[in-house]
Amino acid sequence: MKKILFHFTLVFLAAAGFSCAGDLDRFSRYSIPPEAVTEADLPAMRMGVYSSFQSGGPGVRSYIMFDILGGNIRGNSGTSKDQINSMLSSLNSYQNTSWAGYFYILYQVNNLIKAAEKYPGSSEATLALGESHYFRAYLYYCMVTRWGDMPILRENTQENVPRDPAEQVWNFIEEELELALDLLGSSKSYYYVSHDAAVALMARVKLSRGKKTEAAELAESLIGKYKLDDFEKIFRKAANTEIIFAFENLSEESGLNISDLFYTYAHENKGQGVYYPTKDLLAVFSDEDKRKEITFTSVAGQTLFNKYPSGQTGKDPVIVSRVAEMYLISAEAQGRPNGLARLNDLREVRGLTAINPAPTTDKAFMDAVMDERRRELVTENFRYYDLVRTGRAVEELGIQSHQVLFPIPGQQRLLNPLLGQNPGYGD
């Protein structure tokens, strides 16, 4: 990354629409050199990282991008294919904002690691390191599932660096999570990273890499500790037994408002009405499904997403991991017939009958798992990559084969010519 100490920060601020004076003051604490940080500064640095995810970071659409591209979310106009071709352009502003935003947070995380390593044995430094390694893994998971090959930056640099192969990035993610698992314990609430949060992300990573036995074991270890709960509790900020980790997304500091994109101005909490559920998505929900009422609502004759209820009145938590995903990971990883029990456990709690007769082929079982993932995890940023990782994206979405990866943003390639471009997107 060319001049990463400066370029990512300034590009991100410009892309996000921040004015210079006020926001340079606001983010100035992130520019403190690690060598100048004292142990007493570590809590503020930790909170700064959490704040960056919640203040927009890679942009609000990055948190629903896989639903937009995966056929769950439609815009006001144009076809689904138009939407995909527009989003998957190297000139698309959302591509640049998300790339710059992820590296902007990575810059802070790397600084925090370097600062915390100066205080071995300190409980505050241990916590900071555990959280940082989790966040570094999470950031790289977000990036490798979008762009594939990515530069692995274990520390910040002012030099241009090329991208590392995706396989090495996945290895790095697992290494970071192993470090996090060694350092983290329980947390005071699910709005802070914990050992369980690292287990949940590792289960997701293992499944993505086809390491199914390990994925199932990790998921099962959390199913015994967490319990499926009512959707109304999960998505209405009530105490619940399901969430493993979420960003609290406090109103006073957050620019991350998913609900504002989903509700229309006719809704009592107001919204821009930018995105709506697709007909294809609505068709996979039955009236018996207890998730349906919280997932969707009808206002002035329009069906709207309803998982995030605040509209323009506030901000909603953004869930990263919850135990329902672990049921689905375990089911998929165990496969047919062993995984059917976990799939039916989830269905029963959500008001659906057990799948009967049982699927007689592996494809039929995977179809059932993918349908359940779609219903359970809609607007939680899974669908597009679920289709990519299972080899279904080209057929089900009608995309070109190269569109299973995002293009490298043009602005980033100007800053660093060594990045190159993903195949199919030109030079």
Side-chain angles (χ1 to χ4, degrees), residues 9-10 13 18-29 31:
T9 300
L10 295 179
L13 292 176
F18 292 139
S19 62
C20 288
D23 285 297
L24 287 178
D25 289 340
R26 176 183 174 190
F27 292 102
S28 60
R29 65 181 182 277
S31 301

Side-chain angles (χ1 to χ4, degrees), residues 331-408:
E332 182 180 339
Q334 291 188 70
R336 184 185 65 89
N338 296 336
L340 186 60
R342 282 304 184 203
L343 191 60
N344 282 332
D345 287 343
L346 175 61
R347 288 174 59 87
E348 180 181 3
V349 173
R350 301 307 188 219
L352 302 178
T353 58
I355 298 175
N356 187 25
T360 57
T361 66
D362 292 340
K363 181 183 183 304
F365 177 74
M366 271 303 298
D367 288 345
V369 170
M370 293 293 284
D371 283 347
E372 209 59 54
R373 286 185 67 90
R374 191 176 193 184
R375 284 186 285 265
E376 181 70 30
L377 301 172
V378 61
T379 71
E380 296 178 57
N381 219 26
F382 285 93
R383 182 64 178 171
Y384 164 85
Y385 187 65
D386 277 350
L387 294 172
V388 169
R389 68 177 178 80
T390 56
R392 296 172 171 229
V394 172
E395 180 179 354
E396 293 200 22
L397 299 176
I399 62 176
Q400 299 179 61
S401 59
H402 70 273
Q403 291 178 313
V404 297
L405 289 175
F406 288 13
I408 306 303

Side-chain angles (χ1 to χ4, degrees), residues 256-269:
L256 181 60
N257 191 348
I258 296 173
S259 181
D260 183 39
L261 298 176
F262 289 158
Y263 282 166
T264 63
Y265 203 71
H267 191 280
E268 62 181 354
N269 290 340

Side-chain angles (χ1 to χ4, degrees), residues 69 84-92 95-96 98-99 146-147 163 384 402-410 412-413 420-426:
L69 296 174
I84 289 173
N85 289 334
S86 173
M87 290 285 191
L88 296 184
S89 164
S90 62
L91 301 179
N92 186 281
Q95 292 285 338
N96 188 65
S98 57
W99 176 290
R146 286 161 170 78
W147 294 289
R163 292 188 290 158
Y384 164 85
H402 70 273
Q403 291 178 313
V404 297
L405 289 175
F406 288 13
I408 306 303
Q412 300 303 323
R413 295 181 65 214
Q421 182 57 278
N422 280 328
Y425 289 106

Side-chain angles (χ1 to χ4, degrees), residues 220-239:
E220 286 293 323
S221 73
L222 294 175
I223 289 173
K225 296 180 69 174
Y226 295 82
K227 184 179 178 181
L228 294 169
D229 214 333
D230 297 336
F231 252 43
E232 187 168 3
K233 292 181 181 178
I234 301 166
F235 294 100
R236 295 300 180 264
K237 208 172 184 179

Side-chain angles (χ1 to χ4, degrees), residues 169-197:
V169 179
W170 283 110
N171 290 339
F172 178 63
I173 292 169
E174 289 198 28
E175 291 168 10
E176 289 295 289
L177 287 173
E178 291 291 354
L179 291 172
L181 288 167
D182 287 341
L183 294 166
L184 290 168
S186 59
S187 62
K188 58 184 178 181
S189 84
Y190 49 65
Y191 294 129
Y192 293 89
V193 173
S194 64
H195 181 274
D196 288 349

Side-chain angles (χ1 to χ4, degrees), residues 25-60:
D25 289 340
R26 176 183 174 190
F27 292 102
S28 60
R29 65 181 182 277
Y30 305 147
S31 301
I32 300 174
E35 57 272 15
V37 173
T38 68
E39 187 176 358
D41 295 321
L42 293 178
M45 292 185 73
R46 288 178 47 235
M47 292 306 101
V49 173
Y50 281 94
S51 177
S52 287
F53 280 104
Q54 299 171 164
S55 63
V60 63

